[in-house]
Structures are given as structure tokens and as C-alpha cells.
Amino acid sequence: MNMPSSEYNEVYRRVRDWSGTKEGLQRLYDEIYYNYDDGREILRRIDSYQSKWVMNLH
């Protein structure tokens, strides 16, 4: 299953405004990667909205 546009917009805002820890953000990335067929592509797009850490995009 691909990520719906509405959910992508929510995740985009969460990543852009992230105020938690790097580990918390990595857990979110892991969820996206494992739950969506297009997870890898989504991670590459949303990671460009945060520059605080270098994340594992799988």
C-alpha cells in the first residue's frame, strides 16, 4: 500500500516541525519504511525538510 496524500501531508508537517529526539524521528522513519510500499521514496522526500540530523533512510 502506498502512503495516501493526506497522510503524507501530516508526516511532512511533523518532520518539518520536529522538536523531539533523533531516536524518535528515526522511529517515525522506520514506521514509514516498513508500512508503505513507497516508504523509501517518501523518506527521501520528507527528509529534505529537516537538516538537524543525518537519518537512516534504509
Side-chain angles (χ1 to χ4, degrees):
M1 167 175 84
N2 288 340
M3 181 181 278
S5 295
S6 59
E7 191 167 343
Y8 173 82
N9 291 333
E10 180 185 328
V11 169
Y12 151 74
R13 283 189 290 279
R14 286 179 66 191
V15 170
R16 182 192 64 195
D17 301 334
W18 189 261
S19 61
T21 65
K22 179 180 180 181
E23 292 77 17
L25 185 58
Q26 186 63 58
R27 280 192 297 276
L28 174 62
Y29 280 27
D30 292 345
E31 268 183 46
I32 292 167
Y33 180 79
Y34 291 115
N35 289 320
Y36 296 100
D37 295 335
D38 61 345
R40 185 180 301 246
E41 178 185 330
I42 295 295
L43 290 177
R44 290 182 191 179
R45 281 194 274 162
I46 66 168
D47 192 57
S48 66
Y49 298 110
Q50 72 85 24
S51 59
K52 196 170 186 179
W53 299 294
V54 174
M55 304 301 293
N56 178 0
L57 303 180
H58 298 270

